[in-house]
Amino acid sequence: MSVVGFGAPAVLWALLLLPLLWWLLRATPPRPHDITFGPTRLLLGLLKREETPTRTPWWLMLVRLAIAAFVIIALAQPILRPENAVAVGDGPMLIVVDDTFAAAGDWEARVGAAERLITEAESANRAVILVATSDATTTPLTAGSPSAARDLLASLEPQPWRARRGALADRLADMTVGGVAWLSDGLGGEDDVRLYTALSEASESPVRLFVPDPGGILGVSDVQNTADGMSVSLVSDAATDGTARQVRILDEKGFVLAEGPVTFTGGETIATATLNLPTELRNDAMRVTVGGERNAGAVRLLDERFRRRTVGLISGGSLDLAQPLLSPLHYLRAALAPSSDLRTPTALDLPSAVDELIDAGTSVIILADVGTLLPSTQDAIARWINAGGVLLRFAGPRTADGMDDLVPVPMREGARTLGGTLSWEEPQPLTDFSNDGPFASLAVPNDVTVTRQLLAEPSIALTQRTWAALADGTPFVTGRNIGAGWVVFFHVTADTSWSNLPLSASFVEMLRAVVELSAATTGSGDGQSGPALPPYRVLDGAGRLVAPGPLVEPLVQRDMDPGPRHPPGLYGTDGAFRAINLLKDGERLAAIDPAQFPDANVGRYTTEGPTELKGTFMTLAALLLLVDAIAILVLMGAFRRRIATAMIALAAALPALGLIGTPPAAAQTPSATEFAMRASLETRLAYVSTGDQNLDRVSEAGLRGLSDALMRRTAVEPAEPMGVNLETDDLAFFPLLYWPLSPQSERPSDEAIAKVDAYMKNGGTILFDTRDQSSAVLNSTSASTQALRDILSGLDIPPLEPVPQDHVLTKTFYLLSGFPGRWAGSPLWVETITAESSAERPARAGDGVSPILITANDLAGAWAVNPDGTYLFPTVPNDPYQREMALRAGINIAIYTMTGNYKADQVHIPALLERLGQ
C-alpha cells in the first residue's frame, strides 16, 4: 500500500509546464527601453527614494511557481494512505466482520475500516454483502445497497462469544462475489483455513485480510481461591514479556476488594499472581477484571462454586424440634455457617430430601445419625459421589443398629461405651491425624475426649482409610475415595452425647477440611444437567454486566459453550446463580496466523483511513497567493506610507478594546484552592457545565429555584449553585450533581469519566436529565438518550429500575408517587434494590443513596426562576399543581442525597426495635 495516491494522476503531467511558466513570468512585464534625455544630468544629484526593479525577484518567482505546482497537484486529487480497491470482479463486495469479544478493544478502528470498504464499493457502483461471524447461521447473505450496509454496520456491536467461522464457510458454497474483505478479530481457531478457503473460492479476486497487531487480546483464564489468597491467571494471544497488567477483584456492588499487578515473564502467554485477601472478603468476590481491557474475556465471573461450598443437612433424629439447641444439626450449622451455604431440604421423607439436595447442586450432604438408606437412594447418592460430591456421615443410635454400604469401612453393630462390654476405664483422647488425610495440616486437639464410638470391622484397608484415631488405635474418622468424590464417616455423633468434639474449635476446622474435598457444585447423574436456570445478568462484548435480552434462553447444561442463546453471565436468581465464563479454566489464546493464507492480501487495522489532500494543497496555494499579493504591495512601497498611521490607530484602539491593562483569561479563572473554599464553606447544589450557554443558564436558574424552595420549606440553607467543569474541577464537595443532556452533548474525556466514576462510587449522586420527555428513557432512540448511552458506556453503573412505590425517595420529605418536571411522562430511574438489601438490611451500603438518577422530565426547566422569582418556563400542560409536584420531587431528591437512609430507618423502626431487643 503506497503512502500517497492520486485520483487523477494524468494531471501531474502539467508539472512539466513549470519551466515554460518560469520563462513567461521572467519575460513579463517587458523590459523598458532606454531613451537619452538631455537634462538627465540635472537629476543625478537627487535622492532616490523609490526604485522599481526591471525584472521579477527570484524569491517571488519561486512563490509563483509553487502556487502553480500546488494547484496542479490539487487537481490531481492526492490521497494520503490510499487503499487498494477490493472488488475487482463484476459481483458484489463481501465484507466479513468478526464482531466478537476479541474485537471490542478497538471496535472503532474495525468499524472505520468497514466504512472505508463500503465507500470503495459505492464509488465503484457495486452492491455490498455485510455478514457478521458472531451469528453466521442467521445473517442473510443477500446483496444490498452501500447505504443499507452502513445501517447494518451501525447496528453491530461486539458479542461475548467466539466467531462462528465454520458455520459461515458452509453457507458460502456455490456463492460468487466480486471481492472479499475479512475483518478478523485477531484470534485463531480451527475453522480459519476452512473459512478462508470458502472465501477464496467465492471471490473473483484475492481475499483481503485485516488482522490486528498480536498481543492486543487479553483475558482472565483462571481464578483460584487458594490458602494464600486469590490466584489470578491472565492469558494473552502473544508473548508480552515484561508487561504488567492491573487486575481488580470486585464485589457484587462493584466495589474494589483488592487490586494488584500480574506480570508476563519469560516470553510466556500466561501470567499468574496471587492477591492477598482475607477469606471473608474472598467470599464476597463476584468479578475479576483487567484494568484497561474492554472485552468479555477480560472479566471472570465468580459464583458459589468459588466462594463457598453448598452443604445439605439431613438428620435422622426425631427430637430436633423438641430440643433444637441440643440437636446435631445445631452444632453443624454453627460450625459451617461462616464458611458454607447451608441447605435444609423441604421434603419430609429421606429419599425425597436426598433427591432435592442432589438436584439443587449440593456439594456436601451430611447425614447425622442416618442408619440404612433405600437401595434407590443409595444408587442416587453413589452417582452423585462419583460426580464429585462428598457424603459426610455421623454415628448415632440409629447407626449402631446397622448401616448400609455407603461407608468408608464396614461397621460393627453396636457401639463401645464407657463402662460397657468393650469399655474404657476413662474417656479416650485423640492421638494423631493421618498424613494422607485432609487433617494433616491441623493440630491434634488435646481437649477432645470420646466416651462412646462406633467401631469398624478389622481389615487391611482400615489403616489406610483412617484419617484420625483415638489413643487406643481405634478409628475416629475414616474416609474413602469413590470416583471424583468421597465418603467420610465420623465414628461419633455430631452433638455432645458421645464426645465433646462439637464444643471444640477443631470441629470447625475438621468440617471445613472435609467440605473442601468436594467439587464446588454437583448436579444429578453425571453432574452436567439439572433444573433450568433463568438468565439473571449477562456480559456484553465489552465485558459489562447487563440485563439479558429476549433471545437469551435458560441454562440447562451447566457446561454449555457461550453463544447467542447462552452468552456468558450469571444464570439463576439473585444470591443463587451460576457463573458461565467465556474462557474455560486454563484456556489459552492464539493469534490468527496470516501465514496460513499465502494468497491473501494481508493488512493491519489503522485508526485513520484514506485522507484527501486536495483541500490542503488548494489552501497552501491560496496562502502563497496572499503572500504574493503582500510582496507586490511591499515592493511598490504601499505599506511604507501607512505603517505609522496603522500603528498609531492600533495603539489607540487597544485600550478601547480592553486588551491593554487587562490580565489574561487564565488569570481570571479561580484557582483550585478558591474553588474548593467556595464549594466547601457552604452547602451548594451543582450542575455540569456543558459549554452550551443556554443549557447552562437553565441549569443554574433551575438549581437556584430549587435552592430557594429548600430554604423556604426545609432546614437546608444552600448557597448559590455552582457550575462544575468535569475536566478540571473536584466533584467531591457536592452531594448532588445535575447533568443535563442535549443531542449535541459530547462525551467527556476518559479522565473525566474516571473522575465521575470515582465520585459515584464514593457517595456522590448524579442526576442525568435527557429533557426529551421520553417515557422509555433508557430504551429510547432519541439523540439525547444516545448521548446518555455514550456517557454511561464508560461508567460502571449498577442495575437500574424505576423508583418503586416503597423507595425512600417517595417519602424522604414529601410523600410522592411520581417525579415530574416540565413534563410528567418519564419515570425516575434509580439503582435497583436487591432482595438481600431490602429484606436483610433495610439500609444499604453507601448510606442507601443511589449513585445515579435518570429522568427525561426536564426537572431544571420546572425549577428555573428569574431574578424576580417568576418561573422561566411553563409546565406542559401549564398546571400549577405539576410545578408544585416538580418542586417537591426536587426537594425529596436533594434531602435524599444529603441525608442518606435516615428515612429508611424511620420506616423500619419496628424491625430495628425488635433487633435491639426492645
Side-chain angles (χ1 to χ4, degrees):
M1 181 186 298
S2 59
V3 178
V4 178
F6 295 89
V11 179
L12 296 177
W13 287 102
L15 293 174
L16 299 177
L17 299 177
L18 289 180
L20 177 62
L21 180 62
W22 173 81
W23 181 82
L24 291 174
L25 291 175
R26 191 168 184 271
T28 56
R31 184 181 183 90
H33 296 284
D34 295 333
I35 301 176
T36 302
F37 182 61
T40 301
R41 298 184 61 86
L42 299 176
L43 304 178
L44 295 177
L46 297 180
L47 180 64
K48 299 180 181 179
R49 299 185 179 274
E50 294 183 4
E51 296 180 354
T52 302
T54 60
R55 64 181 64 186
T56 304
W58 68 268
W59 54 268
L60 185 58
M61 182 77 69
L62 184 62
V63 169
R64 293 174 177 176
L65 291 176
I67 293 174
F70 285 162
V71 171
I72 293 173
I73 295 174
L75 295 177
Q77 301 178 11
I79 300 175
L80 180 64
R81 294 182 301 272
E83 292 187 350
N84 300 326
V86 176
V88 298
D90 297 329
M93 177 189 294
L94 174 61
I95 303 176
V96 179
V97 181
D98 283 345
D99 57 333
T100 65
F101 77 98
D106 55 351
W107 179 246
E108 294 79 8
R110 300 165 195 272
V111 171
E115 288 178 345
R116 295 194 295 272
L117 293 171
I118 295 174
T119 301
E120 287 184 10
E122 189 174 32
S123 301
N125 196 23
R126 298 182 182 278
V128 177
I129 303 174
L130 183 66
V131 57
T133 59
S134 65
D135 195 12
T137 58
T138 59
T139 303
L141 297 178
T142 55
S145 64
S147 61
R150 286 194 183 93
D151 294 339
L152 178 58
L153 178 64
S155 67
L156 294 181
E157 292 182 352
Q159 300 300 326
W161 52 81
R162 295 181 180 276
R164 299 189 165 191
R165 296 167 181 166
L168 178 59
D170 294 337
R171 300 182 60 198
L172 292 176
D174 301 328
M175 186 176 181
T176 302
V177 294
V180 172
W182 178 9
L183 281 65
S184 74
D185 58 8
L187 278 184
E190 57 184 10
D191 293 325
D192 295 351
V193 176
R194 182 179 170 195
L195 175 59
Y196 175 76
T197 302
L199 293 175
S200 300
E201 294 175 352
S203 175
E204 299 177 2
S205 61
V207 176
R208 185 170 184 178
L209 174 65
F210 287 81
V211 294
D213 294 329
I217 305 172
L218 195 71
V220 183
S221 63
D222 197 12
V223 177
Q224 295 292 333
N225 195 346
T226 65
D228 299 329
M230 291 189 66
S231 174
V232 180
S233 297
L234 302 185
V235 60
S236 176
D237 63 328
T240 52
D241 192 16
T243 301
R245 303 305 300 266
Q246 197 77 3
V247 296
R248 294 179 177 178
I249 302 173
L250 308 176
D251 64 4
E252 186 175 1
K253 299 184 183 210
F255 292 106
V256 178
L257 300 177
E259 61 180 338
V262 178
T263 305
F264 290 86
T265 58
E268 293 291 333
T269 59
I270 290 185
T272 303
T274 300
L275 303 183
N276 295 324
L277 198 63
T279 304
E280 292 76 13
L281 292 181
R282 273 184 267 160
N283 289 336
D284 292 335
M286 197 189 79
R287 278 184 294 165
V288 177
T289 63
V290 183
E293 288 296 318
R294 294 187 307 161
N295 72 77
V299 177
R300 194 76 173 182
L301 299 176
L302 310 175
D303 55 19
E304 64 178 8
R305 295 173 298 168
F306 172 85
R307 297 193 297 269
R308 297 181 178 182
R309 302 296 193 266
T310 305
V311 179
L313 303 177
I314 299 178
S315 175
S318 59
L319 299 178
D320 291 346
L321 296 179
Q323 299 181 11
L325 298 182
L326 298 179
S327 68
L329 295 188
H330 170 72
Y331 292 98
L332 291 171
R333 289 193 185 97
L336 293 171
S339 60
S340 303
D341 289 333
L342 305 180
R343 292 181 181 175
T344 302
T346 58
L348 299 179
D349 60 298
L350 185 59
S352 299
V354 170
D355 292 339
E356 180 181 337
L357 291 177
I358 292 176
D359 292 339
T362 305
S363 302
V364 179
I365 295 179
I366 299 180
L367 301 181
D369 193 19
V370 174
T372 304
L373 299 172
L374 295 176
S376 59
T377 303
Q378 293 184 49
D379 294 340
I381 293 179
R383 292 192 299 270
W384 170 79
I385 294 174
N386 273 282
V390 171
L391 177 64
L392 174 57
R393 307 185 71 169
F394 283 86
R398 287 172 178 78
T399 60
D401 294 335
M403 298 187 66
D404 50 60
D405 295 333
L406 284 177
V407 288
V409 293
M411 297 295 169
R412 289 184 178 180
E413 292 186 6
R416 182 166 67 167
T417 310
L418 187 65
T421 305
L422 298 175
S423 63
W424 297 298
E425 295 181 357
E426 57 184 16
Q428 292 290 303
L430 297 179
T431 55
D432 58 359
F433 293 149
S434 171
N435 293 329
D436 298 328
F439 311 142
S441 60
L442 303 181
V444 178
N446 54 15
D447 58 345
V448 173
T449 58
V450 177
T451 58
R452 187 173 182 178
Q453 110 193 98
L454 192 62
L455 290 174
E457 292 284 354
S459 64
I460 298 176
L462 180 59
T463 302
Q464 299 175 349
R465 298 176 183 177
T466 299
W467 292 350
L470 299 179
D472 63 355
T474 56
F476 179 70
V477 180
T478 54
R480 178 165 64 100
N481 176 240
I482 301 178
W486 295 84
V487 175
V488 183
F489 187 73
F490 277 68
H491 293 244
V492 294
T493 59
D495 57 17
T496 58
S497 58
W498 288 21
S499 75
N500 63 351
L501 175 66
L503 301 178
S504 171
S506 298
F507 187 59
V508 177
E509 296 176 347
M510 295 172 73
L511 287 179
R512 287 185 178 180
V514 173
V515 169
E516 289 178 359
L517 293 174
S518 67
T521 185
T522 310
S524 61
D526 59 359
Q528 303 302 329
S529 61
L533 301 178
Y536 174 59
R537 292 286 187 273
V538 296
L539 289 175
D540 64 4
R544 298 180 295 249
L545 274 176
V546 298
L551 299 180
V552 181
E553 298 178 353
L555 186 69
V556 179
Q557 294 294 114
R558 302 301 193 255
D559 59 349
M560 297 184 68
D561 291 331
R565 301 296 181 184
H566 302 94
L570 304 176
Y571 290 80
T573 57
D574 186 14
F577 46 74
R578 181 183 179 93
I580 300 298
N581 288 294
L582 178 61
L583 301 181
K584 294 183 176 4
D585 293 344
E587 183 175 356
R588 291 181 177 267
L589 299 177
I592 192 170
D593 185 10
Q596 302 177 91
F597 322 120
D599 299 328
N601 184 2
V602 180
R604 301 286 180 181
Y605 290 108
T606 57
T607 55
E608 298 181 3
T611 302
E612 294 187 1
L613 301 179
K614 178 179 179 180
T616 302
F617 280 96
M618 291 299 291
T619 302
L620 291 175
L623 291 176
L624 291 179
L625 187 62
L626 179 61
V627 171
D628 182 90
I630 294 174
I632 293 296
L633 293 176
V634 171
L635 292 176
M636 293 176 62
F639 283 162
R640 296 178 184 177
R641 295 186 297 270
R642 295 181 175 87
I643 272 183
T645 304
M647 292 298 294
I648 294 173
L650 180 61
L654 288 178
L657 296 175
L659 299 178
I660 295 181
T662 303
Q668 295 180 343
T669 302
S671 65
T673 302
E674 293 172 348
F675 177 87
M677 294 292 290
R678 184 181 175 215
S680 59
L681 291 180
E682 294 183 277
T683 301
R684 299 177 186 270
L685 302 179
Y687 62 92
V688 174
S689 296
T690 62
D692 186 331
Q693 295 182 358
N694 293 330
L695 189 58
D696 292 345
R697 179 178 61 85
V698 173
S699 299
E700 182 180 9
L703 294 187
R704 186 186 305 113
L706 178 59
S707 298
D708 294 342
L710 286 168
M711 188 175 298
R712 292 193 309 268
R713 305 186 187 189
T714 72
V716 182
E717 297 181 357
E720 286 292 315
M722 293 178 60
V724 174
N725 188 329
L726 296 178
E727 304 290 344
T728 59
D729 295 336
D730 194 343
L731 311 180
F733 304 107
F734 309 102
L736 175 65
L737 198 60
Y738 179 75
W739 193 336
L741 297 168
S742 68
Q744 292 76 33
S745 296
E746 297 182 357
R747 184 180 183 274
S749 66
D750 292 341
E751 291 76 11
I753 289 294
K755 186 189 300 183
V756 170
D757 188 66
Y759 169 76
M760 295 171 62
K761 289 183 178 179
N762 287 276
T765 298
I766 297 183
L767 172 57
F768 291 96
D769 194 342
T770 59
R771 308 179 309 112
D772 55 2
Q773 197 182 3
S774 172
S775 60
V777 186
L778 298 180
N779 297 323
S780 172
T781 58
S782 67
S784 296
T785 303
Q786 184 58 46
L788 174 63
R789 288 199 190 100
D790 293 340
I791 295 172
L792 297 184
S793 65
L795 297 173
D796 190 12
I797 63 173
L800 303 177
E801 65 176 352
V803 174
Q805 291 300 320
D806 57 350
H807 197 277
V808 179
L809 265 173
T810 63
K811 55 181 73 71
T812 303
F813 194 82
Y814 291 102
L815 296 178
L816 299 178
S817 59
F819 297 84
R822 286 191 66 199
W823 300 286
S826 168
L828 180 66
W829 291 75
V830 297
E831 179 184 1
T832 300
I833 300 178
T834 62
E836 177 184 357
S837 296
S838 59
E840 298 292 338
R841 297 180 297 170
R844 293 175 296 156
D847 289 339
V849 178
S850 174
I852 181 172
L853 306 173
I854 301 178
T855 184
N857 287 336
D858 191 11
L859 294 178
W863 304 332
V865 294
N866 289 305
D868 59 1
T870 59
Y871 291 105
L872 276 176
F873 307 103
T875 60
V876 181
N878 193 355
D879 184 3
Y881 178 75
Q882 180 173 326
R883 190 181 301 278
E884 172 64 21
M885 289 297 102
L887 285 173
R888 293 186 179 186
I891 292 173
N892 271 27
I893 291 173
I895 298 296
Y896 167 70
T897 57
M898 294 179 186
T899 61
N901 60 15
Y902 91 101
K903 183 63 71 172
D905 293 344
Q906 298 297 317
V907 172
H908 294 89
I909 277 180
L912 294 174
L913 292 178
E914 181 180 356
R915 180 171 295 183
L916 293 173
Q918 300 179 9

